[in-house]
Amino acid sequence: MIPLKDDNPAERFPLVTIALVAANLAAFWWQVTGPGLEASVLRGGAIPYEILRFEDIEYRDIVPPPLTIFTSMFLHGGVAHVGFNMLTLWIFGNNVEDALGRLRFAVFYLLSGVAAAVTQTLAAAFSGDVLTPMVGASGAIAGVLAAYLMLFPRHRILTFIVPIWFLRIPAGFFIVFWFAGQVLNAVFGGEPGVAVFAHIGGFVAGWIMLRLMGRRPTWRARRVGW
């Protein structure tokens, strides 16, 4: 399922969401016009071995590990990777930013990404696969999805379902279905190269942080029927 848009316009200009999308796109432009995808992933990705040992393996990283946790959140492995992530961030991020406020949302997003990277690192250490780098905004975006699920479960998401179906489905169903897929992938060793534990860690962190951080004082949810 690919989300295309929601029926939930934000009340305030989504400055942080736009800045995050712009930063990710600028980082991807640097990847493809500078060192290349492979080298940039090795230099800026979150490699579990480096994070656990606080040292570079081969390439000198953009920043010393474990600070690569932060750089990895803005790098991607290809056009489809960055395109899908940015589309998802734009659809769901503007409303979560609206509810939390800009500063809270920026902190929320970054901490979701950190939790995602830490979860994936621990899972990699447990499995023994500590040399595979992790890049992408999807761990942080998973936290955004958790917040959207809690705040706007009844709002509809226009969704493209392969091969040719377009359906408007409740956000609650869409996000729960997505999260269940991540859990099943983790349990049964799903698609290779996908950091499913990062998605799970980011989602759980987002769920917890929304409860701890709360909404901005002047925000009020709009009632939406099923």
Side-chain angles (χ1 to χ4, degrees), residues 106-206:
V107 173
F108 175 92
Y109 181 90
L110 291 174
L111 289 181
S112 294
V114 170
V118 170
T119 305
Q120 184 66 30
T121 297
L122 294 176
F126 181 79
S127 68
D129 182 19
V130 294
L131 298 180
T132 301
M134 180 187 69
V135 293
S138 54
I141 294 172
V144 174
L145 290 176
Y148 198 101
L149 173 62
M150 298 173 69
L151 294 166
F152 311 104
R154 298 185 179 186
H155 282 275
R156 301 277 171 165
I157 308 297
L158 177 63
T159 306
F160 172 65
I161 301 176
V162 178
I164 55 171
W165 293 350
F166 292 87
L167 297 176
R168 293 177 67 251
I169 59 179
F173 176 84
F174 177 92
I175 296 171
V176 168
F177 183 87
W178 174 85
F179 183 69
Q182 306 309 304
V183 173
L184 290 174
N185 275 339
V187 171
F188 297 107
E191 186 178 352
V194 178
V196 292
F197 287 99
H199 299 165
I200 294 170
F203 188 93
V204 173

Side-chain angles (χ1 to χ4, degrees), residues 24 26-37 40-41 74-77 135:
N24 277 273
F28 187 71
W29 178 256
W30 168 77
Q31 287 182 264
V32 296
T33 60
L37 289 178
S40 63
V41 166
F74 295 91
L75 304 179
H76 288 83
V135 293

